[in-house]
Amino acid sequence: MSNQDVTRADYCAVAIAEAFRGDGEILCNPIGNVPLIGGRLARASFEPDLAITDGLATLTANTPAVGRPDPDRVVEHWNPYRRMFELLWNGQRHVMMGASQVDRYGNQNLAAIGDWHKPKAQLLGFRGAPGNTISHATSYFVGNHSPKSLVEAVDVVSGVGYDRAAELGPETSRFHEIRRVVTNLCVIDFEATDANGVHCARLRSVHPWSSVDDVVAATGFELALPDDVPESRAPTADEVALLRNQIDPDGLAGREVPNE
């Protein structure tokens, strides 16, 4: 496999998969094509105990292609609506969502752009983000890293970040974790802390077509920068084969992360 065979979408899928590394037997619940592809890659390669939802009321033992029917679905567990909430409220889920805006503390906005009383744009709404983010691990995928998406302060808080979680106290926020933000330029984690000891955004790695300067210029807040920022991990030959032949045979990830 040559470097030319590996696409930008492959790197993003692997970075997303890495966000689920070490999770073990919890519900892997990525939302959106690229997160789904990365989450299923984690399940198919190095995290076999991850539980995968079919989006209905069951968990499946197989890892189907994203965007295609699954006539050979192997059901391993019944997961009705009430059971889903038992998982949500007890830290037994890791969701990766999209985000229209994310700030330095991991607050997320997918509700509206502009002033809340008269927004410039109405988006999806709050959905389940406030309760979900305070109850279990959450990561985000941002396909277009820019100062408009990585912002100093989100216009509306849909997903709860570390600063607001700290205000709630340890009992309420005991399951809160914003683990990663994967973008088309880099991977961000929240392993830095500010002057008050609150977790804040840190540049974890840069993708090979990007640089630290590129990321800093495209980010609307001050990122914590390690002395040595590594390059994001490249996909293995086995992972590329899984993506091409099993998980993303229609190349859906490449439509959202073009190779240019």
Side-chain angles (χ1 to χ4, degrees):
M1 181 182 63
S2 69
N3 290 337
Q4 292 180 340
D5 296 326
V6 179
T7 67
R8 296 187 179 191
D10 295 335
Y11 270 90
C12 288
V14 166
I16 290 168
E18 285 290 338
F20 292 95
R21 185 180 287 276
D23 274 344
E25 192 176 353
I26 68 167
L27 180 62
C28 170
N29 200 177
I31 300 170
N33 283 336
V34 181
L36 272 173
I37 290 161
R40 292 184 184 180
L41 179 62
R43 159 74 173 264
S45 51
F46 53 78
E47 282 297 326
D49 291 334
L50 287 173
I52 297 287
T53 175
D54 64 356
L56 299 173
T58 58
L59 304 179
T60 61
N62 58 318
T63 306
V66 172
R68 290 188 180 185
D70 183 22
D72 300 320
R73 179 177 56 178
V74 179
V75 175
E76 65 179 357
H77 186 72
W78 186 47
N79 188 46
Y81 203 51
R82 64 179 182 274
R83 172 59 178 157
M84 176 63 83
F85 281 98
E86 292 176 9
L87 296 174
L88 295 184
W89 293 335
N90 291 284
Q92 297 177 347
R93 180 197 196 208
H94 182 176
V95 65
M96 176 171 276
M97 299 184 282
S100 299
Q101 294 177 327
V102 180
D103 69 20
R104 183 188 182 201
Y105 294 103
N107 295 290
Q108 172 239 30
N109 174 23
L110 46 71
I113 300 297
D115 183 85
W116 169 249
H117 299 286
K118 192 175 182 181
K120 297 177 182 178
Q122 176 67 52
L123 306 176
L124 286 174
F126 290 91
R127 313 294 291 180
N132 291 345
T133 51
I134 206 65
S135 298
H136 55 68
T138 304
S139 296
Y140 297 112
F141 172 67
V142 177
N144 183 16
H145 188 139
S146 79
K148 292 184 177 180
S149 54
L150 281 295
V151 297
E152 181 66 32
V154 298
D155 292 340
V156 181
V157 177
S158 303
V160 177
Y162 277 104
D163 54 345
R164 286 174 169 81
E167 294 174 0
L168 296 173
E171 179 63 24
T172 301
S173 61
R174 64 192 185 279
F175 295 128
H176 176 267
E177 179 192 357
I178 308 301
R179 186 169 302 171
R180 304 279 166 79
V181 178
V182 176
T183 81
N184 61 319
L185 299 181
C186 68
V187 180
I188 293 168
D189 63 28
F190 293 85
E191 296 182 14
T193 54
D194 68 8
N196 296 314
V198 178
H199 287 281
C200 59
R202 182 189 75 148
L203 183 57
R204 185 180 183 90
S205 69
V206 293
H207 302 328
W209 57 90
S210 182
S211 70
V212 172
D213 289 343
D214 292 335
V215 172
V216 169
T219 303
F221 56 81
E222 184 178 355
L223 268 171
L225 300 176
D227 292 336
D228 183 21
V229 180
E231 189 173 282
S232 302
R233 179 173 78 79
T236 66
D238 288 343
E239 287 170 334
V240 172
L242 281 169
L243 291 169
R244 300 285 187 277
N245 302 323
Q246 178 180 342
I247 298 171
D248 187 24
D250 298 320
L252 298 179
R255 301 178 192 178
E256 297 182 33
V257 188
N259 202 34
E260 58 185 21

